[in-house]
Amino acid sequence: MLDWIDSATAVERLGVKPATLYAYVSRGVLRRRYDPERRRSLFDPVEVERLARRGKPRRKPAPTEIAIESRVTALGSDRPYYRGLDALALADAHSFEAVAEWLWGRELRDTGPWRPRPAAVAGARRVQRGLPADSASLDRLQLVVPALAIADPRRADREIDPATFVADMVTALPQRSKPADPSMAGLLWSRLAPRPPAAAGELKALETAMILLADHELAASTFAARVAASVRADPYAVVSTGLGVVGGPMHGGASLGVERLLAEIERPADVARVLGDRLLRGERIPGAGHTVYRGGDGRGAHLLDRLRALAPDHPKLPVAEAVLTELRHRRLPAFNIDLALGLLTTIFDMPEGSGETIFAVARTAGWLAHAREEYATRTPFRPRAIGPRRG
């Protein structure tokens, strides 16, 4: 029952009053379940989504609009809900491992450290030997995943353990510092940061980012991953497909632009000039605006609040605050999670491009959740083009 959404989320998605929602129930349009423990009504997110789309005025679908039934994630006004649960609340109360298990349709509980396969990891490390030492971690992952696939003779069965998969991916990356603990957040930190976390709050900040980025409904990389899964590509190919899309500057690569922006601005007083110059050149402001959260990205605000409490004296925090002020002053779109992610990697002295890697590793949990769901269907995606008639 926990993968159903509550009445507030259903009302928000449908754009109706609570009385209208329950009128739908009485007329048999929506099913309702009662949760006696929390004394609340729950609704099927697939039925709500179907009704929301049916209720819109008839029009030609936008080129970017493709509807797919999914129970993995629903989007609220400023945040995602993973199988009906608020992602921000999950980030505060649970580990990345527990949230990933929940996304995969399992119990919301910490299963302990995920164990990699030594032989598979060794093979994935060997394929990286010819790379320059300063190669970006995201580039490395695009080699690591196919190497892991080759080492798995059962990949065509599509029954791999997703936890082991993620552990293999991260363990195969070069180590930069000693792991603070065996968690995925601790392991990923050791692959990106040049030092161990100075306090527990630092590691939790990284884990918070991972949880908030774990899934986001049918974002570009997830849609691409589901297309691969729809034709029964194995999970390694599904994740490779997602990795091929995630680095785009309008998707998972947006944090790279934030990292470079923060590196360029030395003082808060320089923010207005630097942003003004970018706007004059017709460039986007990295970390600003979101196609879904027009009123502000709750994930970004949540992560930024944690960074404010964690590193109040870091010299880049006033710069980031000045960016937020300038966005409001110029009436530009509000900041999103990419800005907070770029600030996080900057505060923790991670190399340029680390935000992309955090995004990719975290989103792998979501890609695998969507792949498991897609494997249960029997219809491959086959969009049709609209173009000139033949002859």
Side-chain angles (χ1 to χ4, degrees), residues 75 77-78 216 219 250-251 284 287-299 333-338 359 363:
L75 301 184
S77 61
D78 72 338
H216 205 243
M250 296 179 68
H251 190 31
R284 295 167 58 93
H290 198 283
T291 56
V292 177
Y293 306 133
R294 300 301 178 90
D297 185 347
R299 301 170 304 164
F335 77 97
N336 57 39
I337 193 170
D338 297 310
F359 190 112
R363 191 58 57 89

Side-chain angles (χ1 to χ4, degrees), residues 42-87:
L42 298 175
F43 299 87
D44 186 335
V46 173
E47 288 187 355
V48 170
E49 181 65 22
R50 186 184 297 121
L51 181 60
R53 293 183 181 277
R54 187 192 310 160
K56 294 179 180 179
R58 294 193 176 189
R59 57 173 171 79
K60 183 179 178 179
T64 59
E65 190 174 78
I66 299 176
I68 299 171
E69 290 191 359
S70 175
R71 295 178 181 271
V72 179
T73 297
L75 301 184
S77 61
D78 72 338
R79 68 192 65 188
Y81 292 80
Y82 299 158
R83 296 194 181 276
L85 298 185
D86 184 337

Side-chain angles (χ1 to χ4, degrees), residues 59-236:
R59 57 173 171 79
K60 183 179 178 179
T64 59
E65 190 174 78
I66 299 176
I68 299 171
E69 290 191 359
S70 175
R71 295 178 181 271
V72 179
T73 297
L75 301 184
S77 61
D78 72 338
R79 68 192 65 188
Y81 292 80
Y82 299 158
R83 296 194 181 276
L85 298 185
D86 184 337
L88 275 60
L90 289 171
D92 284 341
H94 297 279
S95 66
F96 173 75
E97 287 86 341
V99 174
E101 295 283 344
W102 178 250
L103 283 169
W104 298 331
R106 301 171 179 175
E107 292 185 39
L108 181 61
R109 63 185 182 88
D110 194 343
T111 58
W114 292 348
R115 302 297 183 186
R117 298 167 298 167
V121 170
R125 286 175 174 167
R126 282 195 295 272
V127 302
Q128 301 175 67
R129 289 177 179 172
L131 295 177
D134 60 351
S135 294
S137 296
L138 183 60
D139 293 338
R140 291 178 178 275
L141 288 176
Q142 292 175 338
L143 287 179
V144 164
V145 173
L148 294 175
I150 293 171
D152 188 350
R154 299 187 61 187
R155 66 182 185 273
D157 296 341
R158 300 185 296 277
E159 293 295 333
I160 69 165
D161 176 36
T164 302
F165 184 107
V166 179
D168 288 346
M169 281 178 59
V170 179
T171 306
L173 293 174
Q175 184 173 321
R176 293 172 58 84
S177 61
K178 183 177 180 181
D181 62 51
S183 69
M184 279 300 100
L187 192 63
L188 183 57
W189 178 288
S190 71
R191 267 55 185 175
L192 297 176
R195 59 169 178 81
E202 290 189 340
L203 192 58
K204 183 56 185 175
L206 173 60
E207 186 170 58
T208 295
M210 293 170 67
I211 293 172
L212 296 177
L213 292 166
D215 194 49
H216 205 243
E217 198 214 44
L218 293 177
S221 59
T222 304
F223 176 64
R226 283 197 75 131
V227 171
S230 79
V231 295
R232 302 301 181 269
D234 67 69
Y236 297 94

Side-chain angles (χ1 to χ4, degrees), residues 16-53:
V16 299
K17 296 179 180 179
T20 304
L21 176 70
Y22 288 99
Y24 290 154
V25 174
S26 64
R27 286 155 41 195
V29 177
L30 282 178
R31 288 181 294 166
R32 177 180 73 94
R33 289 181 178 177
Y34 183 68
D35 180 0
E37 293 184 3
R38 299 190 181 183
R39 298 181 180 181
R40 61 176 183 168
S41 295
L42 298 175
F43 299 87
D44 186 335
V46 173
E47 288 187 355
V48 170
E49 181 65 22
R50 186 184 297 121
L51 181 60
R53 293 183 181 277

